[in-house]
Amino acid sequence: MNKSAEKGLVPELRFPEFNNDAKWKQKNLGKLSTIVRGGSPRPIDNFMTLDKLGLNWLKIGDVDKSAKYISMTKERVTIDALSKTREVHPGDLIMSNSMSFGRPYIMQIKACIHDGWIAVTEIKDYIDLNYLYYFILSEKPQFYFLNAAAGGGIKNLNAEIIKSLSVVYPVSKNEQQKIGDCLSSLDELVNAHNQKLDALKAHKKGLMQQLFPAESETVPKLRFPEFRGDGDWCFDDLGSKAKKVGSGITPRGGDKNYKSAGVPFVRSQNIGWGSLLLDNIAYIEEEVHQSFSGTEIKESDVLLNITGASIGRTAIADQRVTGGNVNQHVCIIRTKLKELHPVYLSQFILSPNGQLQIDSFQAGGNREGLNFAQIRSFSIPIPPNVEEQKKIADGLSSIDELITAQSQKIDALKTHKQGLMQQLFPVVNEVSV
């Protein structure tokens, strides 16, 4: 691909075989296709069926937000529903008018859609479906949807907004297909790396179940050879192995106290599944920090989220946050190092057995919050030799490093794709054509 020096409706980056082709065109999406809204039979329960001869009924919950294609539905409706809904077909695009805001999906099946969906149908023959999909996903159309959408807290699209989207496209359908194929190949690469990431996570989860004994057992299913003669494990309450179990507080005034530099202030969003997430770390002034001396982070503290949707996530404090503070949603667990290795503890909490204990404290399974008494009562499997704890911690941490590296590869590919899309599509002028 060569950079194009032409001005006007041409992209910054173009495949060389198309450099001498005609300039690109621009039309509103409503002139390139038919835009229609779905419909909802009511009451919907009267139209649901288990009959395989029924019609596919597509709900928002059936769709993976990161997917490109829709190939199945979980429910069906009767033929009678057709008078009150709309049927879409393979090759149609659909978009939700609120959820997965502005994101298109390509239909691979015939399905009925309710009024939360808007369909892009009867796409002109000279427009490549794959090209159109990626164009709508690109930066300028997404920015247009965000700004044109109606509503306050919850933005909503409607058919008229989607019809008015300015679409730029090369006259050559071969060029459209080339762009679509290029971006599709990147998506396939991302998907392959995602599968590898999922496999690593599944491997770690399975390994955890073997490296930690079940509550009724005295040895794990899998043990490092050098420790097989060391005898049985025991289960102890976390409180007996900890020097500190406690959380912090949020400064009076909340976000107004946060600075761009100063003393690190760790919040629940900074605690991942075994790693610190510090891209959006907040800072507080030294004076505020001094008033929170009881919640100062020390290196190798176990930081545990104790409230909200992220309850149970844990990470080890390192030099980046040592000397900082935590808020009330994060618990500091400081272990007796000669009895309980902090990384071992963190890995156990993240294991299926550790998460099961956290779930057991939540009324109705809502994972609402943990108190300090509950945390101290965690039943921790303890091998007779702290060196065995370290060996397990090192083994699981090495898999974490692979998971982190794999996640970074995926992020880099996504960033590359976004940059490529900005260059492959020309700037869209907001005009009606």
PDB file of all heavy atoms in Angstrom, residues 240-253:
ATOM      1  N   SER A 240      -5.343 -15.806  61.347  1.00  0.00           N
ATOM      2  CA  SER A 240      -4.227 -16.291  62.163  1.00  0.00           C
ATOM      3  C   SER A 240      -2.893 -16.155  61.444  1.00  0.00           C
ATOM      4  O   SER A 240      -1.833 -16.277  62.066  1.00  0.00           O
ATOM      5  CB  SER A 240      -4.454 -17.763  62.549  1.00  0.00           C
ATOM      6  OG  SER A 240      -4.370 -18.599  61.392  1.00  0.00           O
ATOM      7  N   LYS A 241      -2.923 -15.884  60.134  1.00  0.00           N
ATOM      8  CA  LYS A 241      -1.705 -15.770  59.338  1.00  0.00           C
ATOM      9  C   LYS A 241      -1.462 -14.332  58.871  1.00  0.00           C
ATOM     10  O   LYS A 241      -0.553 -14.084  58.080  1.00  0.00           O
ATOM     11  CB  LYS A 241      -1.795 -16.672  58.099  1.00  0.00           C
ATOM     12  CG  LYS A 241      -2.048 -18.147  58.398  1.00  0.00           C
ATOM     13  CD  LYS A 241      -0.871 -18.779  59.094  1.00  0.00           C
ATOM     14  CE  LYS A 241      -1.090 -20.278  59.338  1.00  0.00           C
ATOM     15  NZ  LYS A 241       0.051 -20.876  60.060  1.00  0.00           N
ATOM     16  N   ALA A 242      -2.271 -13.393  59.350  1.00  0.00           N
ATOM     17  CA  ALA A 242      -2.179 -12.012  58.878  1.00  0.00           C
ATOM     18  C   ALA A 242      -1.822 -11.057  60.005  1.00  0.00           C
ATOM     19  O   ALA A 242      -2.284 -11.204  61.136  1.00  0.00           O
ATOM     20  CB  ALA A 242      -3.499 -11.596  58.236  1.00  0.00           C
ATOM     21  N   LYS A 243      -1.009 -10.067  59.667  1.00  0.00           N
ATOM     22  CA  LYS A 243      -0.679  -9.004  60.615  1.00  0.00           C
ATOM     23  C   LYS A 243      -1.660  -7.846  60.495  1.00  0.00           C
ATOM     24  O   LYS A 243      -1.821  -7.080  61.441  1.00  0.00           O
ATOM     25  CB  LYS A 243       0.747  -8.494  60.349  1.00  0.00           C
ATOM     26  CG  LYS A 243       1.840  -9.506  60.616  1.00  0.00           C
ATOM     27  CD  LYS A 243       3.220  -8.863  60.572  1.00  0.00           C
ATOM     28  CE  LYS A 243       3.596  -8.449  59.181  1.00  0.00           C
ATOM     29  NZ  LYS A 243       4.993  -7.938  59.113  1.00  0.00           N
ATOM     30  N   LYS A 244      -2.305  -7.731  59.337  1.00  0.00           N
ATOM     31  CA  LYS A 244      -3.233  -6.621  59.118  1.00  0.00           C
ATOM     32  C   LYS A 244      -4.320  -7.041  58.154  1.00  0.00           C
ATOM     33  O   LYS A 244      -4.047  -7.661  57.111  1.00  0.00           O
ATOM     34  CB  LYS A 244      -2.498  -5.412  58.548  1.00  0.00           C
ATOM     35  CG  LYS A 244      -3.403  -4.207  58.208  1.00  0.00           C
ATOM     36  CD  LYS A 244      -2.594  -3.083  57.591  1.00  0.00           C
ATOM     37  CE  LYS A 244      -3.490  -1.903  57.219  1.00  0.00           C
ATOM     38  NZ  LYS A 244      -4.118  -1.269  58.400  1.00  0.00           N
ATOM     39  N   VAL A 245      -5.566  -6.708  58.476  1.00  0.00           N
ATOM     40  CA  VAL A 245      -6.699  -6.839  57.567  1.00  0.00           C
ATOM     41  C   VAL A 245      -7.522  -5.568  57.738  1.00  0.00           C
ATOM     42  O   VAL A 245      -8.134  -5.354  58.782  1.00  0.00           O
ATOM     43  CB  VAL A 245      -7.568  -8.078  57.882  1.00  0.00           C
ATOM     44  CG1 VAL A 245      -8.804  -8.088  56.980  1.00  0.00           C
ATOM     45  CG2 VAL A 245      -6.784  -9.366  57.707  1.00  0.00           C
ATOM     46  N   GLY A 246      -7.503  -4.713  56.754  1.00  0.00           N
ATOM     47  CA  GLY A 246      -8.232  -3.450  56.885  1.00  0.00           C
ATOM     48  C   GLY A 246      -8.261  -2.686  55.583  1.00  0.00           C
ATOM     49  O   GLY A 246      -7.430  -2.915  54.696  1.00  0.00           O
ATOM     50  N   SER A 247      -9.226  -1.788  55.459  1.00  0.00           N
ATOM     51  CA  SER A 247      -9.358  -0.986  54.235  1.00  0.00           C
ATOM     52  C   SER A 247      -9.131   0.482  54.557  1.00  0.00           C
ATOM     53  O   SER A 247      -8.903   0.851  55.710  1.00  0.00           O
ATOM     54  CB  SER A 247     -10.741  -1.183  53.603  1.00  0.00           C
ATOM     55  OG  SER A 247     -11.750  -0.698  54.471  1.00  0.00           O
ATOM     56  N   GLY A 248      -9.203   1.319  53.540  1.00  0.00           N
ATOM     57  CA  GLY A 248      -8.982   2.740  53.731  1.00  0.00           C
ATOM     58  C   GLY A 248     -10.271   3.530  53.714  1.00  0.00           C
ATOM     59  O   GLY A 248     -11.353   2.988  53.933  1.00  0.00           O
ATOM     60  N   ILE A 249     -10.141   4.809  53.440  1.00  0.00           N
ATOM     61  CA  ILE A 249     -11.292   5.705  53.335  1.00  0.00           C
ATOM     62  C   ILE A 249     -11.083   6.617  52.136  1.00  0.00           C
ATOM     63  O   ILE A 249      -9.958   6.784  51.656  1.00  0.00           O
ATOM     64  CB  ILE A 249     -11.491   6.549  54.621  1.00  0.00           C
ATOM     65  CG1 ILE A 249     -10.205   7.334  54.932  1.00  0.00           C
ATOM     66  CG2 ILE A 249     -11.911   5.697  55.786  1.00  0.00           C
ATOM     67  CD1 ILE A 249     -10.340   8.251  56.127  1.00  0.00           C
ATOM     68  N   THR A 250     -12.170   7.206  51.670  1.00  0.00           N
ATOM     69  CA  THR A 250     -12.077   8.168  50.574  1.00  0.00           C
ATOM     70  C   THR A 250     -12.006   9.570  51.163  1.00  0.00           C
ATOM     71  O   THR A 250     -12.769   9.882  52.090  1.00  0.00           O
ATOM     72  CB  THR A 250     -13.294   8.042  49.643  1.00  0.00           C
ATOM     73  OG1 THR A 250     -13.276   6.740  49.039  1.00  0.00           O
ATOM     74  CG2 THR A 250     -13.257   9.087  48.545  1.00  0.00           C
ATOM     75  N   PRO A 251     -11.095  10.406  50.681  1.00  0.00           N
ATOM     76  CA  PRO A 251     -10.993  11.763  51.222  1.00  0.00           C
ATOM     77  C   PRO A 251     -12.310  12.513  51.128  1.00  0.00           C
ATOM     78  O   PRO A 251     -13.080  12.314  50.177  1.00  0.00           O
ATOM     79  CB  PRO A 251      -9.930  12.418  50.331  1.00  0.00           C
ATOM     80  CG  PRO A 251      -9.207  11.306  49.672  1.00  0.00           C
ATOM     81  CD  PRO A 251     -10.166  10.171  49.579  1.00  0.00           C
ATOM     82  N   ARG A 252     -12.571  13.354  52.082  1.00  0.00           N
ATOM     83  CA  ARG A 252     -13.771  14.180  52.050  1.00  0.00           C
ATOM     84  C   ARG A 252     -13.746  15.044  50.788  1.00  0.00           C
ATOM     85  O   ARG A 252     -12.755  15.679  50.497  1.00  0.00           O
ATOM     86  CB  ARG A 252     -13.792  15.088  53.275  1.00  0.00           C
ATOM     87  CG  ARG A 252     -15.133  15.125  53.972  1.00  0.00           C
ATOM     88  CD  ARG A 252     -15.058  15.923  55.236  1.00  0.00           C
ATOM     89  NE  ARG A 252     -15.161  15.066  56.403  1.00  0.00           N
ATOM     90  CZ  ARG A 252     -15.154  15.530  57.634  1.00  0.00           C
ATOM     91  NH1 ARG A 252     -14.978  16.809  57.852  1.00  0.00           N
ATOM     92  NH2 ARG A 252     -15.276  14.700  58.641  1.00  0.00           N
ATOM     93  N   GLY A 253     -14.842  15.020  50.054  1.00  0.00           N
ATOM     94  CA  GLY A 253     -14.867  15.753  48.790  1.00  0.00           C
ATOM     95  C   GLY A 253     -14.650  14.864  47.588  1.00  0.00           C
ATOM     96  O   GLY A 253     -14.778  15.292  46.446  1.00  0.00           O
TER      97      GLY A 253
END
